[in-house]
Amino acid sequence: MSIDRPTAQTILITGGAGFIGSHLASALVDDNEVRILDNLSSGKRANVPEAATLIEGDLRDAATLERATADVDLIFHEAALVSVQGSVEAPLTSHSINATATLEVLEAARREDARVVLASSAAIYGHPEEVPIAEADPKTPASPYGIDKLAIDHYARRYNELYGLETVALRYFNAYGPGQTAGDYSGVISIFCDQAIDDEPITVHGDGDQTRDFVFIDDIVQANLKAATTEQVGTAYNVGTGTSVTVQELAETIVDVTESNSEITHTEGRDGDIRHSQADISVIRSELGYEPTVSLREGLKQTVEWYRQH
Ligand code: UD2
């Protein structure tokens, strides 16, 4: 049995000032030397734990990446352009950050003989034929973002086969939690929480019967820590809860948790919206011992608390 978290390692977290990367940094910083590479385009300096070292710069700059990866044992690659819509508007930009720069990270890891745990996405599955979605199911990404994530998911696994690099790709479903900032391209939970706290109408797109598997940040972190120490490398795992809720139910739960006076309204359906999404987590459960620990209601309570304070 492997231990469940890295200790006494030199660790690089790309995107470590962002939502997922900064939570990961907080979980690791007491027992490891943690370095963060972030260009602060969407991440924030304030998210970086005091004991971590921030290298402010671009992943795509060779000298910066070389400095950031010097002598590392382990890399968590979370830096990305996370906007699906943005990738539709600027596919080349998405490709250069989400795909090419990730290949550079894998090359750097080869030079350093470092393990890489990288952020893949449920977006690689596109519109699934059925749910829950298992790792081996068809991959028909519906956006440049999904295509780029699928490319790096493949690269990560082939780098293990071709060069013996230790890699694990984590296919995140809908991540949420404290620190996820509301904006045009952020997740529905951050948008609904802001609306509910301000007693503004909640904007459900379409009929609200579409479903998602919302996974709390603590469980995303748990999956990363397990991926960092497992012997099962050259692999890719779904990270979700294995359950789903409708967007309508989500809106109602947020109104309830915030004790809001917001009305739930319905707007036009969103172009290209995926109807149903739910992870099959049986493989990550059996191979990594991953188990979701935070229910949607509990996760929403913690998230709402954070939004109230910020
Ligand atoms: C998420 C990820 C995306 C990709 C994908 C994989 C985010 C922001 N996006 O896309 O990067 O990984 O999953 O499948 O995390 N909605 C409303 N009202 C709003 C906003 C959204 O009803 O004001 C609906 C939206 O139409 C969709 C659902 O909420 O049906 C979830 O939307 P989302 O943008 O949070 O995430 P998703 O699943 O499209």
Side-chain angles (χ1 to χ4, degrees):
M1 268 307 269
S2 58
I3 48 160
D4 269 343
R5 53 169 54 231
T7 51
Q9 297 197 25
T10 302
I11 299 175
L12 170 66
I13 305 175
T14 72
F19 168 48
I20 293 176
S22 64
H23 280 275
L24 206 45
S26 300
L28 290 162
V29 83
D30 287 345
D31 304 317
N32 301 275
E33 192 192 314
V34 175
R35 224 179 267 171
I36 282 169
L37 174 58
D38 203 301
N39 65 2
L40 303 180
S41 66
S42 57
K44 294 186 189 66
R45 191 181 297 272
N47 286 344
V48 174
E50 225 166 83
T53 307
L54 172 66
I55 300 173
E56 189 182 336
D58 200 295
L59 201 55
R60 291 168 293 178
D61 179 69
T64 304
L65 185 61
E66 200 175 316
R67 184 156 72 94
T69 52
D71 303 320
V72 292
D73 305 304
L74 172 62
I75 302 172
F76 292 96
H77 179 48
E78 308 299 320
L81 207 65
V82 289
S83 163
V84 171
Q85 191 49 40
S87 83
V88 173
E89 282 154 23
L92 281 170
T93 309
S94 171
H95 192 83
S96 76
I97 296 172
N98 295 329
T100 308
T102 302
L103 206 48
E104 299 283 4
V105 169
L106 290 171
E107 281 297 301
R110 270 179 80 192
R111 287 195 295 272
E112 300 293 336
D113 194 22
R115 174 176 294 214
V116 185
V117 177
L118 79 172
S120 180
S121 169
I124 69 172
Y125 298 112
H127 299 271
E129 282 163 21
E130 51 182 16
V131 290
I133 305 166
E135 281 84 352
D137 283 0
K139 284 144 202 92
T140 51
S143 65
Y145 174 82
I147 294 170
D148 295 332
K149 286 290 183 181
L150 181 55
I152 66 162
D153 185 294
H154 277 302
Y155 272 123
R157 284 175 290 140
R158 290 301 161 250
Y159 263 59
N160 178 253
E161 239 171 60
L162 297 171
Y163 313 114
L165 191 72
E166 295 185 357
T167 60
V168 179
L170 297 176
R171 298 172 180 169
Y172 302 147
F173 280 65
N174 290 65
Y176 75 100
Q180 189 178 42
T181 40
D184 289 347
Y185 296 127
S186 52
V188 63
I189 288 183
S190 61
I191 296 170
F192 284 1
C193 283
D194 272 3
Q195 291 169 336
I197 289 168
D198 295 342
D199 284 329
E200 280 169 8
I202 292 184
T203 51
V204 172
H205 295 148
D207 60 13
D209 288 339
Q210 66 270 40
T211 55
R212 292 292 184 277
D213 184 337
F214 294 103
V215 51
F216 190 63
I217 184 66
D218 291 11
D219 289 324
I220 295 271
V221 169
Q222 180 204 158
N224 273 278
L225 300 182
K226 292 195 152 108
T229 47
T230 183
E231 285 166 15
Q232 311 282 339
V233 291
T235 46
Y237 299 106
N238 288 342
V239 184
T241 64
T243 63
S244 63
V245 291
T246 67
V247 169
Q248 178 71 30
E249 283 167 342
L250 173 71
E252 287 165 7
T253 311
I254 289 174
V255 168
D256 193 33
V257 165
T258 52
E259 295 175 3
S260 170
N261 298 313
S262 291
E263 220 190 307
I264 297 174
T265 59
H266 290 258
T267 64
E268 287 267 291
R270 198 173 67 180
D271 273 352
D273 212 15
I274 285 160
R275 194 67 183 156
H276 296 296
S277 178
Q278 184 184 328
D280 180 331
I281 58 168
S282 48
V283 181
I284 187 169
R285 234 185 203 134
S286 66
E287 292 191 10
L288 299 194
Y290 164 87
E291 198 59 54
T293 55
V294 184
S295 70
L296 182 62
R297 180 168 280 271
E298 177 51 35
L300 286 174
K301 278 189 189 156
Q302 291 187 36
T303 307
V304 164
E305 191 51 43
W306 187 85
Y307 285 125
R308 282 199 203 282
Q309 287 167 12
H310 290 80

